[in-house]
PDB file of all heavy atoms in Angstrom:
ATOM      1  N   GLY J  28      -6.888 -10.138 -14.407  1.00 53.00           N
ATOM      2  CA  GLY J  28      -6.646 -10.717 -15.734  1.00 53.00           C
ATOM      3  C   GLY J  28      -5.162 -10.963 -15.949  1.00 53.00           C
ATOM      4  O   GLY J  28      -4.368 -10.876 -15.028  1.00 53.00           O
ATOM      5  N   PRO J  29      -4.782 -11.287 -17.178  1.00 61.00           N
ATOM      6  CA  PRO J  29      -3.385 -11.643 -17.462  1.00 61.00           C
ATOM      7  C   PRO J  29      -2.407 -10.485 -17.252  1.00 61.00           C
ATOM      8  O   PRO J  29      -1.215 -10.708 -17.046  1.00 61.00           O
ATOM      9  CB  PRO J  29      -3.430 -12.043 -18.942  1.00 61.00           C
ATOM     10  CG  PRO J  29      -4.696 -11.491 -19.464  1.00 61.00           C
ATOM     11  CD  PRO J  29      -5.647 -11.442 -18.339  1.00 61.00           C
ATOM     12  N   ASN J  30      -2.886  -9.241 -17.307  1.00 89.00           N
ATOM     13  CA  ASN J  30      -1.989  -8.108 -17.162  1.00 89.00           C
ATOM     14  C   ASN J  30      -2.032  -7.491 -15.767  1.00 89.00           C
ATOM     15  O   ASN J  30      -1.735  -6.334 -15.567  1.00 89.00           O
ATOM     16  CB  ASN J  30      -2.300  -7.035 -18.192  1.00 89.00           C
ATOM     17  CG  ASN J  30      -2.046  -7.562 -19.576  1.00 89.00           C
ATOM     18  OD1 ASN J  30      -1.143  -8.368 -19.781  1.00 89.00           O
ATOM     19  ND2 ASN J  30      -2.816  -7.114 -20.535  1.00 89.00           N
ATOM     20  N   PHE J  31      -2.446  -8.287 -14.824  1.00 92.00           N
ATOM     21  CA  PHE J  31      -2.604  -7.791 -13.454  1.00 92.00           C
ATOM     22  C   PHE J  31      -2.030  -8.840 -12.512  1.00 92.00           C
ATOM     23  O   PHE J  31      -2.456  -9.978 -12.504  1.00 92.00           O
ATOM     24  CB  PHE J  31      -4.086  -7.564 -13.162  1.00 92.00           C
ATOM     25  CG  PHE J  31      -4.374  -7.032 -11.806  1.00 92.00           C
ATOM     26  CD1 PHE J  31      -4.383  -5.666 -11.538  1.00 92.00           C
ATOM     27  CD2 PHE J  31      -4.666  -7.907 -10.760  1.00 92.00           C
ATOM     28  CE1 PHE J  31      -4.669  -5.185 -10.267  1.00 92.00           C
ATOM     29  CE2 PHE J  31      -4.951  -7.427  -9.494  1.00 92.00           C
ATOM     30  CZ  PHE J  31      -4.954  -6.063  -9.247  1.00 92.00           C
ATOM     31  N   VAL J  32      -1.019  -8.454 -11.758  1.00 96.00           N
ATOM     32  CA  VAL J  32      -0.398  -9.417 -10.825  1.00 96.00           C
ATOM     33  C   VAL J  32      -0.469  -8.825  -9.418  1.00 96.00           C
ATOM     34  O   VAL J  32      -0.150  -7.647  -9.228  1.00 96.00           O
ATOM     35  CB  VAL J  32       1.041  -9.710 -11.190  1.00 96.00           C
ATOM     36  CG1 VAL J  32       1.793 -10.454 -10.078  1.00 96.00           C
ATOM     37  CG2 VAL J  32       1.118 -10.544 -12.473  1.00 96.00           C
ATOM     38  N   GLN J  33      -0.946  -9.621  -8.496  1.00 96.00           N
ATOM     39  CA  GLN J  33      -1.072  -9.108  -7.127  1.00 96.00           C
ATOM     40  C   GLN J  33       0.064  -9.606  -6.238  1.00 96.00           C
ATOM     41  O   GLN J  33       0.472 -10.784  -6.308  1.00 96.00           O
ATOM     42  CB  GLN J  33      -2.402  -9.549  -6.539  1.00 96.00           C
ATOM     43  CG  GLN J  33      -2.682  -8.877  -5.205  1.00 96.00           C
ATOM     44  CD  GLN J  33      -4.149  -8.950  -4.848  1.00 96.00           C
ATOM     45  OE1 GLN J  33      -4.647  -9.927  -4.336  1.00 96.00           O
ATOM     46  NE2 GLN J  33      -4.858  -7.848  -5.107  1.00 96.00           N
ATOM     47  N   VAL J  34       0.591  -8.711  -5.451  1.00 97.00           N
ATOM     48  CA  VAL J  34       1.602  -9.035  -4.444  1.00 97.00           C
ATOM     49  C   VAL J  34       0.965  -8.664  -3.094  1.00 97.00           C
ATOM     50  O   VAL J  34       0.251  -7.666  -3.002  1.00 97.00           O
ATOM     51  CB  VAL J  34       2.861  -8.174  -4.647  1.00 97.00           C
ATOM     52  CG1 VAL J  34       3.865  -8.377  -3.537  1.00 97.00           C
ATOM     53  CG2 VAL J  34       3.484  -8.493  -6.009  1.00 97.00           C
ATOM     54  N   VAL J  35       1.190  -9.488  -2.068  1.00 97.00           N
ATOM     55  CA  VAL J  35       0.663  -9.128  -0.772  1.00 97.00           C
ATOM     56  C   VAL J  35       1.792  -8.834   0.207  1.00 97.00           C
ATOM     57  O   VAL J  35       2.839  -9.495   0.189  1.00 97.00           O
ATOM     58  CB  VAL J  35      -0.289 -10.192  -0.152  1.00 97.00           C
ATOM     59  CG1 VAL J  35      -1.580 -10.272  -0.951  1.00 97.00           C
ATOM     60  CG2 VAL J  35       0.387 -11.550  -0.083  1.00 97.00           C
ATOM     61  N   ALA J  36       1.581  -7.809   0.991  1.00 97.00           N
ATOM     62  CA  ALA J  36       2.483  -7.483   2.105  1.00 97.00           C
ATOM     63  C   ALA J  36       1.814  -7.994   3.363  1.00 97.00           C
ATOM     64  O   ALA J  36       0.642  -7.704   3.626  1.00 97.00           O
ATOM     65  CB  ALA J  36       2.699  -5.990   2.200  1.00 97.00           C
ATOM     66  N   LEU J  37       2.572  -8.821   4.136  1.00 95.00           N
ATOM     67  CA  LEU J  37       1.998  -9.444   5.319  1.00 95.00           C
ATOM     68  C   LEU J  37       2.789  -9.074   6.570  1.00 95.00           C
ATOM     69  O   LEU J  37       4.002  -8.816   6.511  1.00 95.00           O
ATOM     70  CB  LEU J  37       2.039 -10.991   5.161  1.00 95.00           C
ATOM     71  CG  LEU J  37       1.282 -11.572   3.991  1.00 95.00           C
ATOM     72  CD1 LEU J  37       1.651 -13.036   3.799  1.00 95.00           C
ATOM     73  CD2 LEU J  37      -0.212 -11.417   4.196  1.00 95.00           C
ATOM     74  N   ASP J  38       2.143  -9.052   7.711  1.00 95.00           N
ATOM     75  CA  ASP J  38       2.835  -8.945   9.003  1.00 95.00           C
ATOM     76  C   ASP J  38       1.901  -9.502  10.070  1.00 95.00           C
ATOM     77  O   ASP J  38       0.765  -9.834   9.779  1.00 95.00           O
ATOM     78  CB  ASP J  38       3.227  -7.500   9.301  1.00 95.00           C
ATOM     79  CG  ASP J  38       2.037  -6.607   9.551  1.00 95.00           C
ATOM     80  OD1 ASP J  38       1.331  -6.821  10.545  1.00 95.00           O
ATOM     81  OD2 ASP J  38       1.801  -5.683   8.734  1.00 95.00           O
ATOM     82  N   GLU J  39       2.482  -9.650  11.265  1.00 93.00           N
ATOM     83  CA  GLU J  39       1.712 -10.189  12.384  1.00 93.00           C
ATOM     84  C   GLU J  39       1.827  -9.294  13.592  1.00 93.00           C
ATOM     85  O   GLU J  39       2.058  -9.755  14.717  1.00 93.00           O
ATOM     86  CB  GLU J  39       2.187 -11.630  12.682  1.00 93.00           C
ATOM     87  CG  GLU J  39       1.894 -12.570  11.522  1.00 93.00           C
ATOM     88  CD  GLU J  39       2.469 -13.981  11.667  1.00 93.00           C
ATOM     89  OE1 GLU J  39       3.207 -14.222  12.650  1.00 93.00           O
ATOM     90  OE2 GLU J  39       2.210 -14.812  10.780  1.00 93.00           O
ATOM     91  N   CYS J  40       1.696  -8.002  13.365  1.00 92.00           N
ATOM     92  CA  CYS J  40       1.909  -7.039  14.422  1.00 92.00           C
ATOM     93  C   CYS J  40       0.862  -7.167  15.544  1.00 92.00           C
ATOM     94  O   CYS J  40      -0.281  -7.505  15.298  1.00 92.00           O
ATOM     95  CB  CYS J  40       1.918  -5.601  13.870  1.00 92.00           C
ATOM     96  SG  CYS J  40       0.323  -5.069  13.193  1.00 92.00           S
ATOM     97  N   ASP J  41       1.316  -6.905  16.753  1.00 90.00           N
ATOM     98  CA  ASP J  41       0.484  -6.943  17.942  1.00 90.00           C
ATOM     99  C   ASP J  41       0.023  -5.515  18.281  1.00 90.00           C
ATOM    100  O   ASP J  41       0.849  -4.701  18.641  1.00 90.00           O
ATOM    101  CB  ASP J  41       1.254  -7.547  19.106  1.00 90.00           C
ATOM    102  CG  ASP J  41       0.580  -7.286  20.442  1.00 90.00           C
ATOM    103  OD1 ASP J  41      -0.606  -7.585  20.559  1.00 90.00           O
ATOM    104  OD2 ASP J  41       1.277  -6.779  21.356  1.00 90.00           O
ATOM    105  N   PRO J  42      -1.254  -5.222  18.110  1.00 88.00           N
ATOM    106  CA  PRO J  42      -1.749  -3.830  18.303  1.00 88.00           C
ATOM    107  C   PRO J  42      -1.392  -3.236  19.663  1.00 88.00           C
ATOM    108  O   PRO J  42      -1.028  -2.072  19.752  1.00 88.00           O
ATOM    109  CB  PRO J  42      -3.256  -3.943  18.138  1.00 88.00           C
ATOM    110  CG  PRO J  42      -3.496  -5.221  17.467  1.00 88.00           C
ATOM    111  CD  PRO J  42      -2.354  -6.129  17.817  1.00 88.00           C
TER     112      PRO J  42
END
Side-chain angles (χ1 to χ4, degrees):
N30 295 328
F31 181 88
V32 168
Q33 190 161 81
V34 174
V35 292
L37 300 168
D38 67 66
E39 294 173 356
C40 66
D41 164 53

